[in-house]
Amino acid sequence: MRSFFDLDESQNDEIGYFQGRIPGRTYISNVFAYNRPNSKDIGSPARNINQVFDCDDIDSEIDISEAGWETQSMDLSPRRQIKISIAKEAGHYKELVIQQVDPKKPEKLSNLLRLTDKQVDDFLNLIRCVGMWDPADGNLPKRLDATLLRRILDDNGEALGQVYSQQPDKVRELIEKDPSGEDVAAIASRRKAVTVFEEMMQNDSLTEGDWQNFFESNPWILGAGLGVPLFTAWNSDKLETVVRGNSFTGEGKRVDALYRTSGIVKSFVFAEIKKPTTKLLTENEYRPGCWAASKDLSGGIFQVHATIQAAEDEVSGHVVTAQDEEGCDIPSSEVFLFRPRAYLVIGSTKEFINKNSGGKNKKKIRSFELFRSNIVTPEIITYDELFAKARWLAYGSDDSNQNNTESNRFS
């Protein structure tokens, strides 16, 4: 007597295979030429994948009179089989059937369900999608187009881009309904800004105006990157502001960036922006082992001092209050001007690294750090330090290799 494993599927003993298969095992047929009539894949290499399930919870007799048929009883086998046919290439599904022994012709199998081609894809995508849904989630969509679902679940990243290009409103609507959608968009925007920041740091031809425009497009970099408190722009349209007169709108000294703190009591914060290529120290030693501050660094400090003094001289009562269209003060809009914080964004510490050997010049570092630690106003921030803070804000952690690569990142 031959065993089940001696059977050759080509003998078409489907009942023998059906009864002989073991639940929990997947059976893959030999390769054969696909032969479904009128199929564009006819003749392509194909395989059948089978798995049986013993469904002990199925009643042996089912009354189908409720379906409108003639009242009768059917003996149903507790065993079911899923057969999937693939042809031509991986993932190219041609057919999915759920089978049982035909109650009227026990020598053959009958189909309880048969899906073909894209119907199989939609069915499998549904199973994948359901596996990601929490039944207690109140934000689950009521309806979801099968084509959209198929493209979203596609492993190819370009597919989601195609879905967005074809139905941007629907995708945006889904994101807006997601409680974390705004966070996703904000994080993506910040990471893009960090990428641009890094690219600009490698372009020595940029002007102060280019950097001014960049920081105006991304005010969060200075607002959250300069100090411990959160700074928000005084003027939502422009960072650069005239600091003369109670309204800060008249002729007078300009500051590259004017912020205010975000506590209950708000105070002004000034920032001057130079370039990352601006020198921090003089080219030659002032004395052995000592370097003086560069002309641009010392000039930037005096520029900040002059700007702050001009503002203090012009702002009556050391407080600025926003006004509505009728000229009335807006309650709780006061911003105070008592010894304001100020920052000078300038240069890069890569200046202290030998271009040939990559070693750090400790004496130059000492000269710079001792100098800026004794400057109360403004606080001096280098571009590479600001970039590191922006990157941390965008990604939540610093680059794991940053300590080893920071000296070469902007070389």
Side-chain angles (χ1 to χ4, degrees):
M1 177 180 295
R2 60 182 181 170
S3 69
F4 165 72
F5 297 103
D6 295 326
L7 293 174
D8 184 349
E9 192 169 358
S10 64
Q11 296 177 7
N12 199 29
D13 189 359
E14 62 177 6
I15 292 296
Y17 276 98
F18 178 81
Q19 299 294 356
R21 291 184 173 120
I22 299 173
R25 291 186 182 179
T26 301
Y27 296 84
I28 304 173
S29 75
N30 295 324
V31 178
F32 62 92
Y34 193 69
N35 57 4
R36 195 175 82 190
N38 302 320
S39 173
K40 64 180 180 180
D41 296 318
I42 193 166
S44 299
R47 290 182 187 266
N48 290 328
I49 296 90
N50 298 274
Q51 187 165 341
V52 296
F53 301 85
D54 286 338
C55 307
D56 297 333
D57 60 335
I58 297 180
D59 295 332
S60 59
E61 292 189 352
I62 298 179
D63 186 358
I64 61 174
S65 59
E66 294 183 0
W69 300 333
E70 180 181 352
T71 302
Q72 57 180 311
S73 294
M74 298 175 60
D75 292 329
L76 298 177
S77 168
R79 169 161 288 194
R80 301 288 183 267
Q81 174 174 270
I82 293 181
K83 181 174 75 173
I84 301 176
S85 300
I86 56 174
K88 191 176 180 179
E89 59 188 11
H92 192 59
Y93 303 110
K94 301 304 299 180
E95 187 177 50
L96 183 150
V97 294
I98 300 178
Q99 301 173 311
Q100 68 171 12
V101 174
D102 192 321
K104 295 183 178 179
K105 297 179 180 179
E107 71 279 3
K108 64 175 292 186
L109 298 177
S110 63
N111 295 338
L112 295 173
L113 173 68
R114 179 174 180 268
L115 302 174
T116 60
D117 301 319
K118 290 301 182 182
Q119 294 175 341
V120 181
D121 290 324
D122 292 342
F123 175 76
L124 295 179
N125 285 339
L126 174 63
I127 297 299
R128 291 168 60 192
C129 191
V130 169
M132 298 185 293
W133 285 344
D134 181 355
D137 186 355
N139 294 311
L140 288 179
K142 302 301 182 184
R143 297 179 181 84
L144 197 58
D145 180 77
T147 301
L148 179 63
L149 176 62
R150 182 166 60 248
R151 292 180 177 177
I152 290 176
L153 292 175
D154 195 319
D155 290 333
N156 182 357
E158 295 180 358
L160 187 57
Q162 293 175 0
V163 175
Y164 179 77
S165 65
Q166 294 177 13
Q167 303 187 57
D169 293 337
K170 288 186 178 180
V171 174
R172 281 194 292 265
E173 182 180 356
L174 290 174
I175 294 176
E176 289 171 358
K177 290 181 178 179
D178 183 352
S180 62
E182 293 184 2
D183 295 336
V184 172
I187 291 172
S189 176
R190 287 190 174 190
R191 291 180 176 178
K192 181 179 179 180
V194 168
T195 300
V196 174
F197 195 163
E198 184 170 9
E199 293 172 350
M200 292 179 66
M201 287 283 286
Q202 300 176 39
N203 186 350
D204 293 344
S205 65
L206 297 179
T207 65
E208 288 185 17
D210 294 326
W211 284 104
Q212 180 79 33
N213 293 334
F214 172 71
F215 289 129
E216 285 185 353
S217 299
N218 302 279
W220 65 271
I221 293 179
L222 293 179
L226 290 180
V228 176
L230 173 65
F231 303 149
T232 58
W234 164 254
N235 186 334
S236 60
D237 297 325
K238 227 176 145 48
L239 289 182
E240 186 182 32
T241 306
V242 178
V243 293
R244 181 186 179 95
N246 193 50
S247 64
F248 280 12
T249 59
E251 298 271 337
K253 184 64 180 172
R254 292 182 179 274
V255 62
D256 289 336
L258 182 65
Y259 284 87
R260 57 185 172 184
T261 59
S262 296
I264 296 175
V265 176
K266 299 175 175 61
S267 299
F268 280 110
V269 180
F270 294 78
E272 287 292 340
I273 301 168
K274 301 303 179 183
K275 298 188 297 183
T277 54
T278 303
K279 292 296 183 181
L280 299 172
L281 302 177
T282 55
E283 194 69 30
N284 301 315
E285 294 172 292
Y286 179 73
R287 290 288 187 271
C290 297
W291 276 262
S294 70
K295 179 180 179 181
D296 289 320
L297 177 55
S298 58
I301 294 172
F302 284 109
Q303 181 181 355
V304 173
H305 290 167
T307 301
I308 294 175
Q309 188 61 51
E312 291 179 330
D313 290 344
E314 295 295 331
V315 175
S316 61
H318 298 279
V319 61
V320 175
T321 303
Q323 296 180 339
D324 59 23
E325 296 179 353
E326 297 179 358
C328 299
D329 291 348
I330 299 176
S332 302
S333 67
E334 302 90 352
V335 182
F336 293 92
L337 187 65
F338 293 104
R339 299 293 298 272
R341 292 181 177 90
Y343 296 85
L344 175 61
V345 182
I346 184 172
S348 170
T349 59
K350 79 171 184 179
E351 177 183 330
F352 310 139
I353 298 174
N354 187 290
K355 294 181 180 180
N356 297 321
S357 66
K360 298 178 177 65
N361 190 318
K362 294 182 180 178
K363 293 179 180 179
K364 284 188 174 182
I365 296 172
R366 179 185 64 187
S367 295
F368 174 69
E369 292 297 348
L370 289 175
F371 175 78
R372 74 166 169 179
S373 65
N374 283 280
I375 299 295
V376 177
T377 303
E379 184 173 343
I380 301 167
I381 305 293
T382 63
Y383 271 81
D384 55 304
E385 293 169 335
L386 184 61
F387 172 81
K389 181 70 172 291
R391 192 185 190 289
W392 186 87
L393 291 168
Y395 288 91
S397 62
D398 205 359
D399 186 359
S400 59
N401 297 317
Q402 186 167 347
N403 291 334
N404 297 325
T405 63
E406 195 65 49
S407 61
N408 298 320
R409 183 186 291 276
F410 306 122
S411 299

